[in-house]
Amino acid sequence: MDHLHLAANWADVRRRVDEACRAAGRDPSEVSILPVSKTFDADVVRAAVALGLHRFGENKVQEIRDKSGPLADCGIAWVVIGHLQTNKAKDVARLASEVQSLDRLELAEALHRRLQLEGRRLDVLVQVKTAREESKHGLPPAGLPAFLDHLAAHCDTLRVRGLMTLASHSDDPAEVRACFRQLRELRDAAVARGHDLPRLSMGMSGDFPLAIAEGATEVRIGSAIFGRRPAPANP
Ligand SMILES: *Cc1c(COP(=O)(O)O)cnc(C)c1O
């Protein structure tokens, strides 16, 4: 991927996101784009930084470790969007600016302990499982109220800013859209119970217009910006 292609892709994605906002009667300034740089190396990320991007989503902490060294001069905010094992809490507490894949109590407590040691706080989104596929991670929707209450009461290093989900991988737009709608409804219900959850991270390269129609405040875009990922075994 050369720099010209990257610039063209980025402009095209921004234009399509703006278009989806207008189609949904929303102001384009309400929806931000999180570029997902997983599997692309530090040089590609550096080229994206040259376009003015400074937040990047990664699904493996090891990749953040590998890239953050050579890119230390870029002031990048690394966002964890993939399934996290609790033994990665230490690296996350040091390297990540945000975690969008917080999906269970054990992980929240491991992160909270490490963040206390590091003396810092972390923005988090709670990942909820709205898709039926077994392979998808996320907190079961029914567990969300108790989980949010627990975080508010016991994990003050975690600043919960909203919810995240991955929709079903389906050709049926109604099924995909139902996942996004469920996330918004769960957010609205939590807000009614007193939680402050302005952000909804939902939608990827293949389904972001539906997510925007259902209220996404942030779409996570990989392949439409960076091109096809090299290894299918490493999605
Ligand atoms: C890879 C990934 C994305 C981006 O996917 P694309 O289809 O390449 O846009 C978004 N969210 C998560 C959690 C991912 O792992």
Side-chain angles (χ1 to χ4, degrees), residues 63-99:
E63 272 198 63
I64 297 179
R65 282 182 64 161
D66 293 345
K67 293 175 200 178
S68 60
L71 295 169
D73 58 311
C74 293
I76 290 172
W78 296 106
V79 179
V80 178
I81 59 172
H83 185 64
L84 259 184
Q85 288 171 328
T86 51
N87 64 10
K88 296 293 191 309
K90 182 174 172 181
D91 284 336
V92 171
R94 288 187 176 161
L95 298 171
S97 82
E98 178 181 322
V99 168

Side-chain angles (χ1 to χ4, degrees), residues 99-104 107-108 111 124-127 147 151:
V99 168
Q100 298 198 349
S101 46
L102 181 64
D103 62 355
R104 61 198 192 281
L107 177 61
L111 285 172
V124 296
L125 304 184
V126 176
Q127 181 176 354
F147 189 63
L151 296 181

Side-chain angles (χ1 to χ4, degrees), residues 60-180:
K60 295 204 168 95
V61 179
Q62 185 58 46
E63 272 198 63
I64 297 179
R65 282 182 64 161
D66 293 345
K67 293 175 200 178
S68 60
L71 295 169
D73 58 311
C74 293
I76 290 172
W78 296 106
V79 179
V80 178
I81 59 172
H83 185 64
L84 259 184
Q85 288 171 328
T86 51
N87 64 10
K88 296 293 191 309
K90 182 174 172 181
D91 284 336
V92 171
R94 288 187 176 161
L95 298 171
S97 82
E98 178 181 322
V99 168
Q100 298 198 349
S101 46
L102 181 64
D103 62 355
R104 61 198 192 281
L105 205 54
E106 181 200 20
L107 177 61
E109 284 172 349
L111 285 172
H112 178 54
R113 278 194 300 275
R114 290 310 310 189
L115 288 160
Q116 283 180 310
L117 292 176
E118 298 285 331
R120 62 174 292 227
R121 303 181 76 204
L122 189 69
D123 283 354
V124 296
L125 304 184
V126 176
Q127 181 176 354
V128 180
K129 182 171 155 62
T130 58
R132 277 176 303 170
E133 291 106 296
E134 273 310 310
S135 60
K136 296 271 199 311
H137 293 286
L139 189 79
L144 184 64
F147 189 63
L148 291 172
D149 290 348
H150 181 91
L151 296 181
H154 302 291
C155 300
D156 62 358
T157 59
L158 301 175
R159 255 193 316 254
V160 186
R161 306 304 297 140
L163 306 180
M164 182 271 237
T165 202
L166 280 109
S168 290
H169 188 76
S170 164
D171 291 334
D172 177 7
E175 188 182 339
V176 173
R177 189 163 175 164
C179 295
F180 298 140

Side-chain angles (χ1 to χ4, degrees), residues 36 38 58-59 81-82 127 164-166 203-206 220-225 227 229 235:
V36 176
K38 65 186 183 193
E58 290 282 350
N59 65 343
I81 59 172
Q127 181 176 354
M164 182 271 237
T165 202
L166 280 109
M204 325 199 310
S205 295
R220 308 178 306 270
I221 308 292
S223 48
I225 297 172
R229 282 182 287 277

